Amino acid sequence: PWDDDVDVFMPRQDYEKLKEFWINTNEYSIQYPTKKKKTENPFVTIHDNRTTFIKSYQKNLDINHGIAIDVFPIDGCPQGWKRKTQKIWALLYSLYVVGKAPKKHGKMIEIIGEMMLALVPVQGWRDSVWRFCERKMSQYSISSCQYITELCAGPHYMQNEYPKCCFEEPVQMEFEGYMLNMPSDYDTYLKMAFGNYRQLPPEEKRICHHEHEFIDLD
């Protein structure tokens, strides 16, 4: 009742292949941040070109505004100081690829974000910084780590360290008439990501959390 979309996880290696090999069609297009295209999303989105869904934070961007499915990479999660530096690289990546200081994590975080952006005022320099940070944060393969993390879903989720066994073999479950692949140990994942996910939230919180300016399904 508190969520309204499907999110897709892909191991980093496959995620990069998706960007490389996807071929856009009349119906569906891929979109992700590049030096030439600013999306204000730090992850891949797949869009239905036959629809319109203009999100509030993207309303002034010249991008594909079709209804989208978000695709997130999952990365190997090291331990110790490597993990601490990985989270720093991930935070810097998100800051510079989005190009805006976060406003939902407290005033101090917002001020620090604005200061970091001011240190790199030229867009071309920011592009080089976020590409470097992306390489550094994703350098740990899943096969070499005991845990998995999601580095492109925001500061809250990048703190989570999921047991690798959660994702080893998918299980199929029915959702809205479709059979979809779920993490094998989805219960452990959901508890770590959302807490007591089986507890219904208050009715006033069962609302769409994707702020939008305009929707046209036709």
Side-chain angles (χ1 to χ4, degrees):
W2 64 88
D3 203 357
D4 52 20
D5 68 343
V6 168
D7 293 326
V8 176
F9 284 137
M10 297 184 74
R12 173 69 66 169
Q13 185 176 7
D14 297 330
Y15 177 84
E16 296 300 333
K17 288 180 182 178
L18 175 70
K19 293 192 290 184
E20 181 180 355
F21 294 123
W22 176 279
I23 297 175
N24 288 336
T25 68
N26 291 334
E27 290 81 18
Y28 302 107
S29 297
I30 195 170
Q31 188 162 261
Y32 52 89
T34 66
K35 288 185 176 181
K36 295 182 179 180
K37 184 173 288 291
K38 182 179 176 64
T39 68
E40 294 191 13
N41 282 330
F43 47 82
V44 163
T45 49
I46 305 294
H47 295 262
D48 186 335
N49 302 328
R50 301 161 295 183
T51 65
T52 304
F53 190 108
I54 301 178
K55 296 182 178 181
S56 299
Y57 69 91
Q58 292 178 318
K59 63 182 180 180
N60 295 319
L61 299 180
D62 181 17
I63 60 173
N64 190 317
H65 289 285
I67 287 178
I69 288 181
D70 299 337
V71 183
F72 297 97
I74 51 176
D75 288 283
C77 177
Q79 297 299 291
W81 68 269
K82 290 181 179 180
R83 172 60 172 158
K84 292 181 174 62
T85 57
Q86 182 189 50
K87 289 192 284 187
I88 293 173
W89 291 126
L91 287 168
L92 291 174
Y93 165 75
S94 294
L95 177 65
Y96 287 111
V97 77
V98 171
K100 293 181 179 179
K103 297 183 180 295
K104 297 181 180 180
H105 303 282
K107 192 64 178 177
M108 182 60 67
I109 298 297
E110 182 180 352
I111 292 173
I112 293 174
E114 290 174 347
M115 291 173 60
M116 295 299 295
L117 289 170
L119 290 175
V120 188
V122 180
Q123 185 59 48
W125 298 352
R126 291 181 182 179
D127 290 337
S128 297
V129 170
W130 71 252
R131 285 179 173 275
F132 177 79
C133 293
E134 186 177 34
R135 290 194 299 271
K136 298 295 288 185
M137 74 186 193
S138 61
Q139 64 183 303
Y140 306 103
S141 66
I142 291 176
S143 61
S144 66
C145 299
Q146 289 184 306
Y147 298 91
I148 282 176
T149 188
E150 44 185 319
L151 300 173
C152 298
H156 170 73
Y157 295 105
M158 71 175 61
Q159 305 295 327
N160 296 336
E161 301 178 7
Y162 308 108
K164 191 161 61 173
C165 60
C166 289
F167 293 90
E168 284 182 340
E169 292 293 336
V171 295
Q172 286 208 326
M173 297 186 70
E174 188 272 336
F175 178 79
E176 297 291 336
Y178 294 92
M179 297 303 294
L180 301 180
N181 282 343
M182 305 290 188
S184 55
D185 189 358
Y186 58 83
D187 185 64
T188 294
Y189 168 77
L190 290 171
K191 285 177 179 175
M192 292 183 69
F194 303 109
N196 184 6
Y197 68 95
R198 293 181 180 274
Q199 177 65 46
L200 292 177
E203 285 195 23
E204 64 270 16
K205 291 189 177 181
R206 301 179 200 177
I207 59 175
C208 174
H209 293 284
H210 292 93
E211 297 179 2
H212 57 275
E213 301 293 312
F214 180 78
I215 300 175
D216 185 350
L217 301 184
D218 300 311

